[in-house]
Amino acid sequence: AQSVTQLDSQVPVFEEAPVELRCNYSSSVSVYLFWYVQYPNQGLQLLLKYLSGSTLVKGINGFEAEFNKSQTSFHLRKPSVHISDTAEYFCAVTRSGGSYIPTFGRGTSLIVHP
Amino acid sequence: KAGVTQTPRYLIKTRGQQVTLSCSPISGHRSVSWYQQTPGQGLQFLFEYFSETQRNKGNFPGRFSGRQFSNSRSEMNVSTLELGDSALYLCASSRAEGYTGELFFGEGSRLTVL
């Protein structure tokens, strides 16, 4: 079975500063990786995904993530955050060739201060 | 294309009652999954339905049940409600072909049990 660890439960940052949200996974087989964002009182929305190919993945709203197989990580980055990026961010992993039921991390609350 | 629709958005019940939540997936999506989200436990997988059959099940008691109709719409039911069932219940749909685990979420049904 796979597992996901989001290393920070909360990340405070000032507007226009860069941010990195960390995600590590464990799996004995190949995986697909996802980042989702959840704004208050809403469901989750896909930010970006890694299925195969280039390890640098670009998503919506200026976010990007890099798949690092040797370190089993999939950290999310944004060079300059906005107040509107304040939300909960979830990393998820599915096992390729498996049941495709994602395992989610506990989430990281990104708080952007003016 | 309409997104995933969940009804009702908010509801309040008392202990011992039962509740039924409804989910209409994106047109053409045949898989519907249900998740429970709480501050303490994060996102927990309840079950997944595909072509009217429960294909995967999480680790929840039998009080939690679901079904899927021929038009892919799904319902979940919780009987004999407990205070701990208070949560945001999220429905997500996905395509069947080339499925990688990417999910499309509804806005959720927030259940409060008094």
Side-chain angles (χ1 to χ4, degrees):
Chain A
Q2 63 268 16
S3 66
V4 178
T5 303
Q6 291 186 242
L7 296 155
D8 306 294
S9 60
Q10 203 172 84
V11 172
V13 64
F14 286 106
E15 195 173 19
E16 297 183 8
V19 70
E20 178 180 83
L21 307 184
R22 297 180 293 169
C23 172
N24 285 89
Y25 69 93
S26 69
S27 176
S28 56
V29 298
S30 296
V31 296
Y32 300 132
L33 294 154
F34 307 85
W35 275 100
Y36 289 85
V37 61
Q38 184 179 33
Y39 299 104
N41 297 316
Q42 293 187 26
L44 279 69
Q45 175 186 1
L46 183 70
L47 266 180
L48 47 79
K49 60 186 175 185
Y50 171 79
L51 305 180
S52 65
S54 173
T55 57
L56 183 63
V57 180
K58 294 191 183 296
I60 62 172
N61 300 340
F63 284 92
E64 63 181 32
E66 185 156 21
F67 170 56
N68 188 319
K69 188 174 182 180
S70 62
Q71 297 189 3
T72 60
S73 67
F74 191 54
H75 300 334
L76 181 70
R77 301 185 183 100
K78 186 170 183 178
S80 175
V81 294
H82 302 286
I83 296 287
S84 59
D85 292 323
T86 296
E88 193 81 14
Y89 291 80
F90 293 91
C91 181
V93 60
T94 61
R95 186 167 58 93
S96 63
S99 70
Y100 299 118
I101 301 300
T103 298
F104 285 86
R106 295 297 298 270
T108 297
S109 179
L110 176 63
I111 302 168
V112 181
H113 297 288
Chain B
K1 203 177 203 182
V4 177
T5 303
Q6 291 188 245
T7 56
R9 288 292 313 280
Y10 302 91
L11 64 167
I12 300 173
K13 295 285 187 178
T14 57
R15 279 180 298 175
Q17 288 187 310
Q18 74 164 12
V19 66
T20 299
L21 309 178
S22 179
C23 173
S24 293
I26 290 172
S27 178
H29 285 193
R30 293 162 61 192
S31 170
V32 174
S33 300
W34 288 89
Y35 287 82
Q36 182 195 65
Q37 186 179 23
T38 59
Q41 299 297 321
L43 275 162
Q44 295 191 88
F45 171 71
L46 281 156
F47 26 66
E48 183 226 2
Y49 286 86
F50 176 78
S51 292
E52 302 178 65
T53 301
Q54 187 180 86
R55 188 162 66 171
N56 291 284
K57 187 178 189 304
N59 192 25
F60 277 80
R63 299 186 297 108
F64 292 82
S65 62
R67 58 178 176 168
Q68 186 181 34
F69 302 95
S70 58
N71 62 358
S72 293
R73 191 177 70 85
S74 177
E75 288 181 348
M76 69 162 282
N77 184 277
V78 188
S79 62
T80 319
L81 284 166
E82 301 176 358
L83 294 178
D85 296 333
S86 294
L88 180 66
Y89 289 88
L90 292 165
C91 167
S93 72
S94 58
R95 300 182 298 114
E97 300 77 24
Y99 182 43
T100 61
E102 177 181 351
L103 299 175
F104 297 81
F105 285 85
E107 293 190 310
S109 292
R110 184 167 295 281
L111 170 65
T112 301
V113 182
L114 302 176

